[in-house]
Amino acid sequence: MVFPSYYLPSVSWFSRCFMELRSKNSGQNEVYIELEACENFHKQTCRNRCYIDSPNGKIALSVPIDKSNFSDKAKCLMRDIRISRQFDWQRQHWTALESSYYNSPFFEFLQDDFRPVYDKSWTFLMDLNEALMEKCFALLDVTATFRRTDDFAGAPVIPPANTAPYYQVFAKKHGFIEDLSIVDLLFNMGKEAVLYL
């Protein structure tokens, strides 16, 4: 199955990958994921955006895209999307993650896994997305091998996620919010996140 390249993918994205892993029934914690690199980039989607919980409820974190990717009405393939250097998005995203999850049970233990990604300079969106996906799989004790499509393989569809509630820091304030970024599940559930998926 071909998966879209998402920035800090949702719980449903990871649930679908785990369904693939279970269907192979190999007994090994390895997953091979083909990422759609040849689709036209879709603005205002999870390709460069994720959703996290915050003291103010669900918020979006968006990676700014270099507008020079797009000539007049031209489309740009996902593999060619460059990240804009005009904004301090890495500091803003890290600050948002820190302020949202500092009091979660596992942020203290996992922050050193994520911090280096936000300290590095990135050129291409797919490289950033892949690095974060690989990091999340590793924290779930799964070895992920990625391959990018050479041609357009079709529009990937991610089915709805498991909507069963799990612990969230701000649930008492604004209720359980489903299908947030996988980091919400990791920071709140740690290694038990794999049982939820």
Side-chain angles (χ1 to χ4, degrees), residues 58-123:
K58 181 177 177 179
I59 61 167
L61 301 179
S62 295
V63 178
I65 300 305
D66 184 346
K67 300 289 193 249
S68 66
N69 284 300
F70 305 93
S71 57
D72 222 18
K73 294 188 179 176
K75 303 201 176 199
C76 188
L77 297 183
M78 184 65 193
R79 67 180 179 209
D80 299 325
I81 295 296
R82 291 175 180 266
I83 298 170
S84 174
R85 298 188 187 276
Q86 294 182 349
F87 306 96
D88 192 8
W89 68 270
Q90 288 161 287
R91 184 186 60 78
Q92 293 169 0
H93 285 208
W94 184 252
T95 300
L97 289 169
E98 204 170 33
S99 63
S100 294
Y101 295 107
Y102 185 77
N103 291 320
S104 66
F106 296 94
F107 182 81
E108 181 182 351
F109 303 104
L110 300 178
Q111 65 179 330
D112 290 341
D113 292 292
F114 287 98
R115 185 65 208 227
V117 178
Y118 289 92
D119 288 336
K120 184 178 174 181
S121 179
W122 297 93
T123 300

Side-chain angles (χ1 to χ4, degrees), residues 1 3-4 6-20 22 33 46 49-53 58 101 114 132-133 136-137 140 157-168 176-190 192-197:
M1 179 175 178
F3 287 83
Y6 282 178
Y7 171 62
L8 285 175
S10 63
V11 170
S12 58
W13 192 98
F14 274 87
S15 289
R16 188 66 181 98
C17 288
F18 271 73
M19 283 174 59
E20 289 290 307
R22 286 190 293 273
I33 298 169
C46 290
R49 175 182 301 177
C50 74
Y51 294 93
I52 64 169
D53 198 2
K58 181 177 177 179
Y101 295 107
F114 287 98
L132 285 166
M133 286 185 269
C136 292
F137 273 113
L140 294 164
V157 176
I158 303 299
N162 178 353
T163 57
Y166 56 86
Y167 173 81
Q168 289 179 332
F176 175 74
I177 302 174
E178 63 185 45
D179 209 21
L180 295 172
S181 167
I182 189 67
V183 294
D184 185 77
L185 185 62
L186 284 167
F187 291 149
N188 285 308
M189 300 295 289
E192 290 185 18
V194 73
L195 301 175
Y196 183 86
L197 294 168

